[in-house]
């Protein structure tokens, strides 16, 4: 089954072709980072308009790269949420209309489920059940995965997501957007002992996270340095290092707890923050579990993970009516395994 995947939930237009036998044939990505950089964050209306501009040329490009045509497609998968409504609408209307014109099925994919499955696109084939650490710009969650669509939420952030914390800390340090890679780069020359940031919510039981306090701590640390003298590059690097150490340590402590509590010895990390090399190294080295993750370019938003997730559900017979449904907020625990979803949609089309 050849599926075109379309990702437009935020500030990346991603298109990919996934074949259930041959694997990932091609993926193309247009990042809007420069478009939003001036504003220090994503401007929703600008994002939607840019998706409109890019979606058709990128569809042509991904087909050309794979040496395929529209007639070769067996299905279309698009991100249906969570995300920015206007941005989601672009991919959803385009995807569904394209599928209708070709008389093939289209399916709306949950963005976080796609992140969660992205490591399976590569060599990682963790046995079920596994624990998933989902860390992106909008989500920080620990999930017990029992199967496709069978997700048990173990814990999540009560305020900011880990990626959001990276972005805000980077902004305070004047490091640009997106903050995760910028902080990681800057922290490379930082000294780890100079500042000690808190490890929020690690001193009490449970698997929830909180990252908004780290933001205040970063602000106060910067202010106390600036009282003495203007910030030097070394100061910035030391703060970035202390911040990154705190986030990595906090995520590690909760993952260790999740592994201990569930007795499950396989952990999949996914979402933009899972591209962080220090986090990967810490989990791989210190966690009493096998750690699986996607290659860095498939950790952040991309069309390949949408094509893959959509293909898994289409292959298991899930079908949707023609109506376009997108959701800005969408708890992953509301998802169902494909068999149940197919029943609910009135079974398979003839
Ligand atoms: O999954 P993603 O691309 O988009 C969402 O679904 O949110 O995640 C984006 C987030 C941003 O907050 C970005 O700063 C963070 O992932 N990120 C990183 C790294 N690369 C991206 N955070 C830490 N270290 C990185 N190397
Ligand atoms: Zn994402």
């Amino acid at each position: 089954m050849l599926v075109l995947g379309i990702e437009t939930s935020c500030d990346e237009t991603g298109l990919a072709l996934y074949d259930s036998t041959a694997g990932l044939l091609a993926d193309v990505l247009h990042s809007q980072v420069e478009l939003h950089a001036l504003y220090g964050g994503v401007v929703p209306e600008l994002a939607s308009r840019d998706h409109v501009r890019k979606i058709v040329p990128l569809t042509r490009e991904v087909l050309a790269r794979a040496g395929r045509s529209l007639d070769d497609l067996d299905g279309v998968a698009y991100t249906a949420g969570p995300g920015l409504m206007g941005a989601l609408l672009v991919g959803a209307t385009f995807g569904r209309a394209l599928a209708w014109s070709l008389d093939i099925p289209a399916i709306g994919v949950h963005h976080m489920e796609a992140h969660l499955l992205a490591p399976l696109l590569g060599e990682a084939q963790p046995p079920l059940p596994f624990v998933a650490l989902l860390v992106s710009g909008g989500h920080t969650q620990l999930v017990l995965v029992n199967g496709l669509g069978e997700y048990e939420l173990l814990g999540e952030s009560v305020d900011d997501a880990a990626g959001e914390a990276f972005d805000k800390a980077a902004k305070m340090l004047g490091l640009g957007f997106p903050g995760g890679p910028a902080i990681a780069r800057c922290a490379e020359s930082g000294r780890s002992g100079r500042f000690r940031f808190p490890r929020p919510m690690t001193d009490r039981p449970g698997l929830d996270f909180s990252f908004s306090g780290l933001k205040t701590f970063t602000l106060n640390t910067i202010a106390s340095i600036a009282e003495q003298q203007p910030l030097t590059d070394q100061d910035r690097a030391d703060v970035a290092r202390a911040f990154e150490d705190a986030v990595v340590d906090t995520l590690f402590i909760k993952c260790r707890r999740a592994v201990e509590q569930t007795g499950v010895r396989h952990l999949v990390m996914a979402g933009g923050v899972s591209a962080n090399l220090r986090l990967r190294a810490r989990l791989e080295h210190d966690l009493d579990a096998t750690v699986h993750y996607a290659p860095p370019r498939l950790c952040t938003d991309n069309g390949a993970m949408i094509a893959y997730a959509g293909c898994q559900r289409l292959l298991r017979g899930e079908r949707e009516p023609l109506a376009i449904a997108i959701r800005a907020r969408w708890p992953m625990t509301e998802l169902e395994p494909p068999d149940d979803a197919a029943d609910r949609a009135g079974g398979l089309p003839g």
Side-chain angles (χ1 to χ4, degrees), residues 7 9-12 82 111-112 115 135-139 161-168 170 177-185 244 247 270-279 296 299-302 305:
E7 157 62 28
S9 69
C10 190
D11 60 345
E12 248 110 28
H111 182 84
M112 296 312 294
H115 269 305
V135 268
S136 71
H139 293 79
E164 192 179 353
F166 267 103
D167 293 336
K168 287 177 178 168
F177 177 84
I183 292 258
R185 231 180 353 259
E244 190 182 40
V247 176
V273 182
S274 70
N276 187 281
L277 296 179
R278 223 180 278 276
L279 176 62
C299 288
T300 46
D301 292 350
N302 63 84
M305 66 182 193

Short mmCIF file of all heavy atoms in Angstrom, two decimals, residues 7 9-12 82 111-112 115 135-139 161-168 170 177-185 244 247 270-279 296 299-302 305, ligand 1:
data_model
loop_
_atom_site.label_atom_id
_atom_site.label_comp_id
_atom_site.label_asym_id
_atom_site.label_seq_id
_atom_site.Cartn_x
_atom_site.Cartn_y
_atom_site.Cartn_z
N GLU A 7 1.87 16.60 6.54
CA GLU A 7 1.94 17.22 7.87
C GLU A 7 1.88 18.74 7.73
O GLU A 7 2.72 19.34 7.06
CB GLU A 7 3.26 16.79 8.55
CG GLU A 7 3.77 17.72 9.64
CD GLU A 7 2.84 17.89 10.84
OE1 GLU A 7 2.07 16.96 11.14
OE2 GLU A 7 2.87 18.96 11.46
N SER A 9 0.57 20.64 10.79
CA SER A 9 -0.07 21.04 12.06
C SER A 9 0.48 22.32 12.66
O SER A 9 -0.17 22.98 13.45
CB SER A 9 0.04 19.91 13.08
OG SER A 9 1.39 19.77 13.49
N CYS A 10 1.71 22.69 12.27
CA CYS A 10 2.32 23.86 12.89
C CYS A 10 3.15 24.64 11.87
O CYS A 10 2.58 25.24 10.97
CB CYS A 10 3.15 23.41 14.10
SG CYS A 10 3.71 24.78 15.12
N ASP A 11 4.46 24.62 11.99
CA ASP A 11 5.27 25.47 11.12
C ASP A 11 6.17 24.69 10.16
O ASP A 11 7.19 25.19 9.72
CB ASP A 11 6.11 26.45 11.97
CG ASP A 11 7.05 25.72 12.92
OD1 ASP A 11 6.85 24.50 13.13
OD2 ASP A 11 7.97 26.35 13.45
N GLU A 12 5.77 23.46 9.87
CA GLU A 12 6.51 22.68 8.88
C GLU A 12 5.53 22.08 7.88
O GLU A 12 4.54 21.48 8.29
CB GLU A 12 7.26 21.54 9.56
CG GLU A 12 8.74 21.70 9.55
CD GLU A 12 9.31 22.00 10.91
OE1 GLU A 12 8.69 21.59 11.91
OE2 GLU A 12 10.36 22.67 10.98
N PRO A 82 -3.41 17.08 17.26
CA PRO A 82 -3.64 18.45 17.69
C PRO A 82 -2.71 19.40 16.94
O PRO A 82 -1.69 18.99 16.42
CB PRO A 82 -3.32 18.40 19.19
CG PRO A 82 -2.46 17.20 19.39
CD PRO A 82 -2.72 16.26 18.26
N HIS A 111 -1.35 13.66 15.48
CA HIS A 111 0.05 14.08 15.35
C HIS A 111 0.97 13.38 16.37
O HIS A 111 2.08 12.96 16.04
CB HIS A 111 0.10 15.60 15.53
CG HIS A 111 1.45 16.20 15.37
ND1 HIS A 111 1.99 16.53 14.15
CD2 HIS A 111 2.40 16.52 16.29
CE1 HIS A 111 3.20 17.04 14.33
NE2 HIS A 111 3.47 17.04 15.62
N MET A 112 0.48 13.23 17.61
CA MET A 112 1.34 12.63 18.64
C MET A 112 1.46 11.11 18.44
O MET A 112 2.49 10.53 18.76
CB MET A 112 0.83 12.96 20.05
CG MET A 112 0.88 14.44 20.38
SD MET A 112 2.45 15.27 19.99
CE MET A 112 3.59 14.48 21.12
N HIS A 115 4.18 10.84 15.96
CA HIS A 115 5.50 10.99 16.60
C HIS A 115 5.89 9.69 17.30
O HIS A 115 7.02 9.22 17.21
CB HIS A 115 5.45 12.09 17.66
CG HIS A 115 5.81 13.46 17.14
ND1 HIS A 115 6.98 13.72 16.47
CD2 HIS A 115 5.15 14.64 17.21
CE1 HIS A 115 7.03 15.01 16.15
NE2 HIS A 115 5.92 15.60 16.58
N VAL A 135 8.03 14.00 23.84
CA VAL A 135 8.51 15.32 24.24
C VAL A 135 8.59 16.23 23.02
O VAL A 135 9.49 16.09 22.20
CB VAL A 135 9.89 15.24 24.94
CG1 VAL A 135 9.74 15.11 26.44
CG2 VAL A 135 10.75 14.12 24.39
N SER A 136 7.64 17.14 22.91
CA SER A 136 7.62 18.02 21.74
C SER A 136 7.43 19.46 22.22
O SER A 136 7.56 19.76 23.39
CB SER A 136 6.50 17.60 20.80
OG SER A 136 5.26 17.92 21.37
N GLY A 137 7.08 20.34 21.26
CA GLY A 137 6.87 21.74 21.61
C GLY A 137 5.58 21.94 22.38
O GLY A 137 5.43 22.91 23.12
N GLY A 138 4.62 21.04 22.22
CA GLY A 138 3.33 21.20 22.87
C GLY A 138 2.99 20.13 23.89
O GLY A 138 2.02 20.25 24.63
N HIS A 139 3.77 19.04 23.93
CA HIS A 139 3.43 17.91 24.81
C HIS A 139 4.65 17.36 25.54
O HIS A 139 5.74 17.32 24.98
CB HIS A 139 2.83 16.76 23.99
CG HIS A 139 1.50 17.07 23.40
ND1 HIS A 139 1.37 17.83 22.27
CD2 HIS A 139 0.24 16.76 23.80
CE1 HIS A 139 0.09 17.97 21.99
NE2 HIS A 139 -0.62 17.33 22.90
N ALA A 161 5.32 22.46 28.16
CA ALA A 161 5.96 21.27 27.60
C ALA A 161 7.48 21.49 27.63
O ALA A 161 7.95 22.63 27.69
CB ALA A 161 5.50 21.04 26.17
N ALA A 162 8.23 20.37 27.58
CA ALA A 162 9.69 20.48 27.63
C ALA A 162 10.23 21.32 26.47
O ALA A 162 11.09 22.19 26.66
CB ALA A 162 10.31 19.09 27.61
N GLY A 163 9.69 21.10 25.27
CA GLY A 163 10.15 21.87 24.10
C GLY A 163 9.85 23.36 24.25
O GLY A 163 10.66 24.21 23.90
N GLU A 164 8.68 23.63 24.81
CA GLU A 164 8.28 25.01 25.04
C GLU A 164 9.26 25.68 26.02
O GLU A 164 9.65 26.85 25.84
CB GLU A 164 6.88 24.96 25.67
CG GLU A 164 6.12 26.23 25.74
CD GLU A 164 4.73 25.97 26.37
OE1 GLU A 164 4.35 24.79 26.60
OE2 GLU A 164 4.05 26.96 26.64
N ALA A 165 9.67 24.93 27.05
CA ALA A 165 10.64 25.46 28.02
C ALA A 165 11.96 25.77 27.33
O ALA A 165 12.57 26.82 27.57
CB ALA A 165 10.84 24.46 29.16
N PHE A 166 12.41 24.86 26.45
CA PHE A 166 13.64 25.12 25.68
C PHE A 166 13.48 26.41 24.87
O PHE A 166 14.37 27.25 24.83
CB PHE A 166 13.92 23.96 24.71
CG PHE A 166 14.83 22.90 25.27
CD1 PHE A 166 14.33 21.69 25.72
CD2 PHE A 166 16.20 23.10 25.33
CE1 PHE A 166 15.16 20.70 26.22
CE2 PHE A 166 17.05 22.13 25.82
CZ PHE A 166 16.52 20.92 26.27
N ASP A 167 12.32 26.55 24.21
CA ASP A 167 12.10 27.72 23.35
C ASP A 167 12.12 29.01 24.17
O ASP A 167 12.70 30.02 23.75
CB ASP A 167 10.77 27.58 22.60
CG ASP A 167 10.81 26.43 21.59
OD1 ASP A 167 11.92 26.07 21.16
OD2 ASP A 167 9.74 25.90 21.25
N LYS A 168 11.47 28.98 25.35
CA LYS A 168 11.41 30.20 26.16
C LYS A 168 12.77 30.55 26.76
O LYS A 168 13.16 31.72 26.80
CB LYS A 168 10.36 30.03 27.27
CG LYS A 168 8.93 30.06 26.71
CD LYS A 168 7.90 29.83 27.77
CE LYS A 168 6.49 29.92 27.18
NZ LYS A 168 5.47 29.41 28.11
N ALA A 170 15.64 29.83 25.51
CA ALA A 170 16.49 30.32 24.42
C ALA A 170 16.18 31.79 24.11
O ALA A 170 17.08 32.59 23.85
CB ALA A 170 16.30 29.47 23.17
N PHE A 177 15.14 31.05 17.61
CA PHE A 177 14.04 30.10 17.58
C PHE A 177 14.25 29.12 16.43
O PHE A 177 14.69 29.55 15.37
CB PHE A 177 12.74 30.89 17.40
CG PHE A 177 11.52 30.04 17.28
CD1 PHE A 177 10.88 29.58 18.41
CD2 PHE A 177 11.02 29.69 16.03
CE1 PHE A 177 9.74 28.79 18.31
CE2 PHE A 177 9.88 28.90 15.92
CZ PHE A 177 9.25 28.46 17.06
N PRO A 178 13.96 27.81 16.54
CA PRO A 178 13.50 27.14 17.75
C PRO A 178 14.61 26.97 18.78
O PRO A 178 15.78 26.83 18.43
CB PRO A 178 13.03 25.78 17.23
CG PRO A 178 13.82 25.54 15.99
CD PRO A 178 14.12 26.89 15.41
N GLY A 179 14.19 26.97 20.03
CA GLY A 179 15.16 27.07 21.12
C GLY A 179 15.93 25.79 21.41
O GLY A 179 17.07 25.87 21.87
N GLY A 180 15.31 24.63 21.18
CA GLY A 180 15.97 23.37 21.56
C GLY A 180 17.35 23.22 20.95
O GLY A 180 18.35 23.11 21.68
N PRO A 181 17.43 23.24 19.61
CA PRO A 181 18.75 23.09 19.00
C PRO A 181 19.70 24.23 19.38
O PRO A 181 20.90 24.02 19.55
CB PRO A 181 18.46 23.14 17.49
CG PRO A 181 17.00 22.89 17.35
CD PRO A 181 16.35 23.30 18.62
N ALA A 182 19.15 25.46 19.55
CA ALA A 182 19.99 26.61 19.89
C ALA A 182 20.60 26.45 21.29
O ALA A 182 21.80 26.69 21.49
CB ALA A 182 19.16 27.90 19.83
N ILE A 183 19.78 26.01 22.25
CA ILE A 183 20.29 25.79 23.62
C ILE A 183 21.34 24.68 23.60
O ILE A 183 22.41 24.80 24.20
CB ILE A 183 19.14 25.39 24.57
CG1 ILE A 183 18.18 26.57 24.78
CG2 ILE A 183 19.68 24.83 25.88
CD1 ILE A 183 18.32 27.32 26.07
N ALA A 184 21.02 23.60 22.87
CA ALA A 184 21.94 22.45 22.85
C ALA A 184 23.31 22.87 22.29
O ALA A 184 24.35 22.50 22.83
CB ALA A 184 21.34 21.32 22.02
N ARG A 185 23.26 23.67 21.21
CA ARG A 185 24.51 24.14 20.61
C ARG A 185 25.29 25.01 21.58
O ARG A 185 26.48 24.84 21.79
CB ARG A 185 24.18 24.93 19.34
CG ARG A 185 24.95 24.48 18.13
CD ARG A 185 24.63 25.24 16.86
NE ARG A 185 23.53 26.18 16.91
CZ ARG A 185 22.31 25.94 16.45
NH1 ARG A 185 22.03 24.77 15.93
NH2 ARG A 185 21.36 26.86 16.50
N GLU A 244 19.80 22.83 30.28
CA GLU A 244 19.70 21.55 29.57
C GLU A 244 19.91 20.38 30.54
O GLU A 244 19.17 19.39 30.51
CB GLU A 244 20.73 21.50 28.44
CG GLU A 244 20.51 20.31 27.51
CD GLU A 244 21.57 20.23 26.41
OE1 GLU A 244 22.76 20.48 26.70
OE2 GLU A 244 21.20 19.92 25.27
N VAL A 247 16.64 19.83 32.51
CA VAL A 247 15.56 19.20 31.75
C VAL A 247 15.89 17.72 31.51
O VAL A 247 15.05 16.84 31.72
CB VAL A 247 15.32 19.92 30.40
CG1 VAL A 247 14.26 19.20 29.58
CG2 VAL A 247 14.88 21.37 30.65
N ALA A 270 10.16 10.05 21.55
CA ALA A 270 9.70 10.65 20.29
C ALA A 270 9.33 12.11 20.49
O ALA A 270 9.14 12.57 21.61
CB ALA A 270 8.49 9.86 19.78
N GLY A 271 9.21 12.84 19.38
CA GLY A 271 8.92 14.27 19.43
C GLY A 271 10.20 15.07 19.32
O GLY A 271 11.30 14.53 19.50
N GLY A 272 10.07 16.36 19.02
CA GLY A 272 11.22 17.21 18.72
C GLY A 272 12.34 17.15 19.74
O GLY A 272 13.52 17.09 19.37
N VAL A 273 12.01 17.14 21.04
CA VAL A 273 13.05 17.16 22.07
C VAL A 273 13.84 15.85 22.09
O VAL A 273 14.97 15.80 22.59
CB VAL A 273 12.43 17.49 23.45
CG1 VAL A 273 13.50 17.58 24.53
CG2 VAL A 273 11.64 18.80 23.40
N SER A 274 13.27 14.78 21.52
CA SER A 274 14.00 13.52 21.50
C SER A 274 15.19 13.58 20.54
O SER A 274 16.00 12.65 20.49
CB SER A 274 13.08 12.34 21.17
OG SER A 274 12.66 12.38 19.83
N ALA A 275 15.30 14.68 19.78
CA ALA A 275 16.49 14.88 18.94
C ALA A 275 17.68 15.32 19.80
O ALA A 275 18.82 15.33 19.33
CB ALA A 275 16.21 15.93 17.87
N ASN A 276 17.41 15.68 21.05
CA ASN A 276 18.48 16.19 21.93
C ASN A 276 19.50 15.08 22.27
O ASN A 276 19.16 14.07 22.88
CB ASN A 276 17.86 16.74 23.22
CG ASN A 276 18.89 17.43 24.09
OD1 ASN A 276 19.65 16.77 24.79
ND2 ASN A 276 18.94 18.73 24.02
N LEU A 277 20.74 15.32 21.88
CA LEU A 277 21.75 14.27 22.00
C LEU A 277 22.11 13.96 23.45
O LEU A 277 22.37 12.81 23.80
CB LEU A 277 23.01 14.68 21.23
CG LEU A 277 22.81 14.81 19.71
CD1 LEU A 277 24.11 15.23 19.04
CD2 LEU A 277 22.30 13.50 19.10
N ARG A 278 22.08 15.00 24.30
CA ARG A 278 22.41 14.76 25.71
C ARG A 278 21.32 13.91 26.38
O ARG A 278 21.61 13.05 27.21
CB ARG A 278 22.56 16.10 26.44
CG ARG A 278 23.74 16.11 27.37
CD ARG A 278 23.86 17.45 28.07
NE ARG A 278 24.51 18.45 27.26
CZ ARG A 278 25.84 18.58 27.17
NH1 ARG A 278 26.62 17.75 27.82
NH2 ARG A 278 26.38 19.52 26.43
N LEU A 279 20.06 14.16 25.99
CA LEU A 279 18.96 13.36 26.53
C LEU A 279 19.08 11.90 26.07
O LEU A 279 18.94 10.97 26.86
CB LEU A 279 17.62 13.96 26.09
CG LEU A 279 16.37 13.18 26.50
CD1 LEU A 279 16.23 13.11 28.02
CD2 LEU A 279 15.11 13.81 25.90
N PRO A 296 17.34 11.78 14.00
CA PRO A 296 16.96 13.14 14.39
C PRO A 296 15.99 13.83 13.43
O PRO A 296 15.06 14.51 13.85
CB PRO A 296 18.29 13.88 14.46
CG PRO A 296 19.28 12.81 14.79
CD PRO A 296 18.79 11.56 14.15
N CYS A 299 12.51 13.03 14.18
CA CYS A 299 12.03 13.35 15.54
C CYS A 299 11.16 14.59 15.51
O CYS A 299 10.13 14.67 16.16
CB CYS A 299 13.19 13.60 16.48
SG CYS A 299 14.09 12.10 16.89
N THR A 300 11.60 15.60 14.76
CA THR A 300 10.79 16.82 14.63
C THR A 300 9.71 16.58 13.56
O THR A 300 9.69 15.53 12.92
CB THR A 300 11.70 18.02 14.26
OG1 THR A 300 12.57 17.61 13.22
CG2 THR A 300 12.54 18.46 15.44
N ASP A 301 8.83 17.56 13.39
CA ASP A 301 7.67 17.34 12.52
C ASP A 301 8.07 16.98 11.09
O ASP A 301 8.98 17.59 10.52
CB ASP A 301 6.80 18.61 12.51
CG ASP A 301 6.14 18.82 13.87
OD1 ASP A 301 6.21 17.90 14.71
OD2 ASP A 301 5.56 19.88 14.08
N ASN A 302 7.38 16.02 10.52
CA ASN A 302 7.70 15.57 9.16
C ASN A 302 6.51 14.80 8.58
O ASN A 302 5.63 14.35 9.32
CB ASN A 302 8.95 14.67 9.20
CG ASN A 302 8.71 13.41 10.01
OD1 ASN A 302 8.17 12.43 9.50
ND2 ASN A 302 9.04 13.43 11.30
N MET A 305 6.28 10.44 9.19
CA MET A 305 5.60 9.80 10.34
C MET A 305 4.08 9.79 10.14
O MET A 305 3.39 8.88 10.59
CB MET A 305 5.97 10.51 11.65
CG MET A 305 5.49 11.94 11.78
SD MET A 305 6.04 12.68 13.34
CE MET A 305 5.01 14.16 13.38
O1 LIG B 1 7.79 17.62 17.59
P1 LIG B 1 8.14 19.01 17.19
O2 LIG B 1 8.93 19.21 15.94
O3 LIG B 1 6.86 19.89 17.06
C1 LIG B 1 5.76 19.76 17.90
O4 LIG B 1 4.95 18.85 17.66
O5 LIG B 1 5.73 20.54 18.86
O6 LIG B 1 8.92 19.62 18.44
C2 LIG B 1 9.40 20.92 18.40
C3 LIG B 1 10.12 21.19 19.71
C4 LIG B 1 10.57 22.64 19.84
O7 LIG B 1 10.15 23.13 21.08
C5 LIG B 1 12.09 22.54 19.74
O8 LIG B 1 12.75 23.55 20.48
C6 LIG B 1 12.35 21.17 20.31
O9 LIG B 1 11.30 20.37 19.82
N1 LIG B 1 13.64 20.62 19.85
C7 LIG B 1 14.66 20.32 20.68
C8 LIG B 1 15.73 19.87 19.87
N2 LIG B 1 15.30 19.90 18.56
C9 LIG B 1 14.02 20.36 18.58
N3 LIG B 1 14.78 20.41 22.02
C10 LIG B 1 15.94 20.06 22.57
N4 LIG B 1 17.02 19.64 21.86
C11 LIG B 1 16.96 19.53 20.52
N5 LIG B 1 18.03 19.11 19.83
#
